[in-house]
Amino acid sequence: MKDKSLESIGEFGLIDIIKKKFNSKNNDSLIIGIGDDAAVISKSKDDYFLISSDMLVEGIHFDLTYHPLKHLGYKSVTTNISDIYSMNGFANQITINLGLSNRFSLNAIEEFYKGVKIACEEYNIDLVGGDTTSSKTGLIISVSAIGNVLKNKLTLRKTAKKNDIICVSGDLGRSYIGLQILEREKSVFLTNPEMQPELSNYSDSIEKQLKPKARKDLIEKLSEFNIIPNSMIDISDGLASDLIHLSVQSNLGVKIYEEKLPILKSTILTANELNLNPTTCALNGGEDYELLFSVNEKDYNMLKDNDIDITSIGYFTSNKKCNLVSKEGETIGLKAQGWKHF
Ligand code: ADP
Ligand code: MG
């Protein structure tokens, strides 16, 4: 068979190819394997184990010129456990594998683990193992998380229902804006190291980029109000990309409205300053680590009546098309434009 380049297949295409090769079970404890935010494994009569894994690579996912190691330690944990919360479960343990070069001192690694520890305490999880090796291509961080979910609360990508209301927690596009500001300041510094960085006006977006939170608080709220979403995913690649995952896997379409997208005023102002379209930042920026989920109307009203930090942005349709209705009323097809890794 003719070989193909990874670039032409893309990240999601490659994952599909791997998934198809491993679609039969060798062990009965496997409930759900490749394809959702975390794998689901039998645990006990009432609950399942959840397992997720993520990798952060220097030069691809972070730049140590402006990413303090302490924040990077924190972010490595929160971005990974976000995949456990998006299954409507809770993270309990993590392992961390590091690929390190001689460039790092003990102090630097200790800074990284200070951030890991802060996240472990904030999210009630324990670091229980990992692996350490040398790397010639910069810092490589791989985190795996183990969690659990009650069987009747497990929430998948593939179970959205027609007419479900699509909700998103928090706000969108802020992390991407933070990244653009940090990149701008880096290039200013490289051309003129004497220039003082101008970061104070952008602290909320920079903070979201450097040390994003995982939305454990929302999973606790859902549990408090006895609400089990019909589908859920966390937004890592961007709203458009992650919404398309829900849509394709649920075999439904989506209709969302530009005017409903939760974008902070500060994000809009900075996007304008950077000549970026705020809607594009919200749709394709990525790294928001907010939860994107769908519920019926009754559950949505209950969440809204209790002032939970969510916004409805549209609904699931039976026609399988993924569309955005612009502020001008134009219907535009959504495209998956997440991070391009290859
Ligand atoms: P997320 O953005 O939520 O981390 P990904 O797009 O990275 O999700 O992964 C989607 C699914 O594909 C997950 O089930 C993940 O475990 C699986 N996956 C990703 N890369 C690989 C791989 N190299 N081998 C096997 N499974 C993979
Ligand atoms: Mg995810």
Side-chain angles (χ1 to χ4, degrees), residues 23-72:
N23 64 357
S24 63
K25 281 194 210 183
N26 295 318
N27 190 299
D28 282 344
S29 59
L30 175 63
I31 308 294
I32 293 172
I34 298 171
D36 214 305
D37 288 305
V40 183
I41 314 287
S42 19
K43 180 179 179 226
S44 69
K45 189 170 126 300
D46 296 322
D47 61 352
Y48 294 125
F49 281 120
L50 295 170
I51 299 176
S52 70
S53 198
D54 269 309
M55 195 139 92
L56 295 176
V57 176
E58 186 177 352
I60 305 281
H61 300 98
F62 60 87
D63 183 333
L64 289 174
T65 320
Y66 50 71
H67 211 143
L69 278 160
K70 186 166 147 189
H71 293 345
L72 190 59

Side-chain angles (χ1 to χ4, degrees), residues 11-12 15 18 33-37 54 83 157 234 236-237:
E11 180 194 357
F12 302 137
I15 292 173
I18 300 171
I34 298 171
D36 214 305
D37 288 305
D54 269 309
D83 279 323
R157 294 178 178 183
D234 67 325
S236 50
D237 292 322

Side-chain angles (χ1 to χ4, degrees), residues 3 143 282 339:
D3 199 4
V143 181
W339 294 110

Side-chain angles (χ1 to χ4, degrees), residues 281-296:
C281 296
L283 288 174
N284 301 323
E287 292 202 290
D288 297 300
Y289 298 104
E290 295 295 342
L291 292 171
L292 174 66
F293 62 100
S294 75
V295 283
N296 62 34

